[in-house]
Amino acid sequence: MKPELKDGTATVMAHPNIALVKYWGKRDEGLNLPHTGSISVTLSPMKTVTTVTFEAGLEQDEVRLNGTEADAGTLRGTVKVLDLMRGRAGLLTRARVETENSFPTAAGLASSASGYAALAMAAAAAAGLRLSRQELSVFARRGSGSASRSLHGGFVEWRRGELADGSDSCAVALAPAQHWPLKVLVVVVEAGPKPISSREAMKRTVATSPFYPAWLERVEADLPVAREAIETRSLETLGLMAERNCLSMFATMLGAQPPVIYWRPSTLAVLEKVQALRREGLLGFYTMDAGPNVKVLCTAETASTWRTALELIPGVQSVLECEVGGPAERLA
Ligand code: PMV
């Protein structure tokens, strides 16, 4: 045991990600172990920048998010990841954590994904640990499942794993960002916090939805389709699979007791517009996470046409244009 570390500090940037094959449901609540694997694409330029400083003399971890003291949930998750890192490094020193998000927190834009990915990498570096991205993804996973995928750039698979301790439930890179320069338009219809956390919603779905077993089959069928579509850069195959997969996830939530409904009327208006434009020959596909906002997958050539059309839909507040992002990286 080396109980005190002298002021180790590190700053890390990580991008959020959007799942194309979703993670929805845990087989182990404590360890954040998923029932299935999932596949995502990392999104730039949205980002989280986190600085972790282990500071001798601090009595407890101090966590600030966008300049103000973190809420109880964020604090709990952050302390959990820091404790795991301290355990690995043989440290007792408490830490000061400063996090800034470049996009609205808790709007279904996966700020927890970039947040816990940046935290895991910064905490490891500040503690003097040299861990692979795969190892870091296991720490990030404990904060939030989808965070495991934000250590890598490009297209990423979080493997379900088989081991009871979760050490093989980690994220691996499928293809780097340069492999396929797609665009993702984030269509914001509501930027406030969501009515129910994804943690609670997936727990309720697993426990009560009669459609959950069908969801597990859906994902097992979609994973190989997604891997191949990414490898061969087939937007149509990937996009149709992503739409089907996301609608199936929402179907399991509608079957929960009480039902979970994240959509707003303008969510549906966006989905209808995407389908209408596709019928007119503009290639693009939607997906959504646990929130009302929609993400549209399209090529770089069609992105500005898509953007103009999406901005005109009543109820749409803004459209953020993203590209496929790189891996989490240490800035200082
Ligand atoms: O990582 P969590 O606990 O925020 O859950 C994420 C769930 C979805 O965003 C809906 C799907 C996914 O795979 O990211």
Side-chain angles (χ1 to χ4, degrees):
M1 248 326 186
K2 38 174 178 165
E4 290 289 345
L5 177 85
K6 278 216 175 53
D7 300 351
T9 186
T11 300
V12 167
M13 180 285 306
H15 294 297
N17 68 77
I18 171 80
L20 302 168
V21 179
K22 308 288 180 190
Y23 145 59
W24 195 250
K26 305 180 211 281
R27 67 180 197 274
D28 184 315
E29 287 282 331
L31 294 174
N32 264 0
L33 293 179
H35 271 293
T36 66
S38 54
I39 290 179
S40 62
V41 55
T42 302
L43 298 183
S44 156
M46 299 192 293
K47 63 180 180 186
T48 297
V49 175
T50 297
T51 300
V52 174
T53 307
F54 287 102
E55 217 171 284
L58 271 187
E59 294 203 343
Q60 55 193 20
D61 295 319
E62 289 182 11
V63 182
R64 292 175 74 79
L65 177 59
N66 295 330
T68 52
E69 214 171 292
D71 60 81
T74 305
L75 179 65
R76 210 170 30 246
T78 303
V79 172
K80 185 201 281 180
V81 174
L82 289 171
D83 279 345
L84 291 165
M85 209 55 89
R86 278 187 282 258
R88 174 74 178 249
L91 264 184
L92 294 176
T93 316
R94 304 288 119 182
R96 203 181 290 283
V97 178
E98 294 276 351
T99 291
E100 298 285 338
N101 285 332
S102 73
F103 53 103
T105 300
L109 295 181
S111 59
S112 66
S114 47
Y116 285 112
L119 174 70
M121 194 181 225
L129 290 170
R130 291 177 66 86
L131 302 178
S132 69
R133 282 176 195 275
Q134 226 158 292
E135 286 175 291
L136 290 171
S137 77
V138 171
F139 285 94
R141 190 199 78 219
R142 297 294 295 274
S144 146
S146 55
S148 64
R149 299 184 307 241
S150 269
L151 268 313
H152 300 285
F155 299 83
V156 183
E157 177 163 359
W158 170 18
R159 292 188 183 141
R160 176 193 191 276
E162 298 298 330
L163 300 174
D165 71 357
S167 54
D168 60 347
S169 188
C170 61
V172 296
L174 292 178
Q178 312 81 271
H179 169 73
W180 198 6
L182 285 177
K183 291 277 186 183
V184 177
L185 302 173
V186 179
V187 187
V188 179
V189 300
E190 204 169 87
K194 45 196 172 192
I196 170 171
S197 69
S198 51
R199 179 178 296 270
E200 274 315 301
M202 67 173 79
K203 191 171 167 182
R204 190 189 297 172
T205 305
V206 174
T208 64
S209 179
F211 309 137
Y212 197 70
W215 164 250
L216 300 178
E217 284 175 29
R218 169 82 281 141
V219 174
E220 287 315 314
D222 286 345
L223 284 169
V225 173
R227 285 186 206 115
E228 165 135 12
I230 289 165
E231 199 187 324
T232 60
R233 299 188 197 91
S234 170
L235 179 56
E236 187 148 19
T237 309
L238 187 68
L240 289 173
M241 183 287 310
E243 288 191 354
R244 182 176 68 209
N245 186 273
C246 125
L247 292 180
S248 304
M249 175 182 74
F250 286 109
T252 66
M253 296 185 209
L254 292 177
Q257 285 301 319
V260 176
I261 303 178
Y262 282 114
W263 295 19
R264 307 295 304 148
S266 38
T267 306
L268 195 54
V270 175
L271 304 194
E272 283 179 338
K273 188 73 183 173
V274 172
Q275 278 165 348
L277 288 174
R278 203 157 70 220
R279 276 195 299 274
E280 289 169 23
L282 193 62
L283 207 59
F285 301 88
Y286 59 76
T287 185
M288 270 173 289
D289 276 345
N293 301 317
V294 183
K295 286 88 178 176
V296 176
L297 215 60
C298 64
T299 60
E301 296 73 42
T302 59
S304 68
T305 311
W306 270 109
R307 186 180 182 153
T308 309
L310 293 165
E311 278 171 345
L312 288 173
I313 302 171
V316 168
Q317 294 180 1
S318 59
V319 177
L320 316 174
E321 196 170 320
C322 302
E323 37 196 69
V324 183
E329 62 181 287
R330 186 169 178 184
L331 303 179

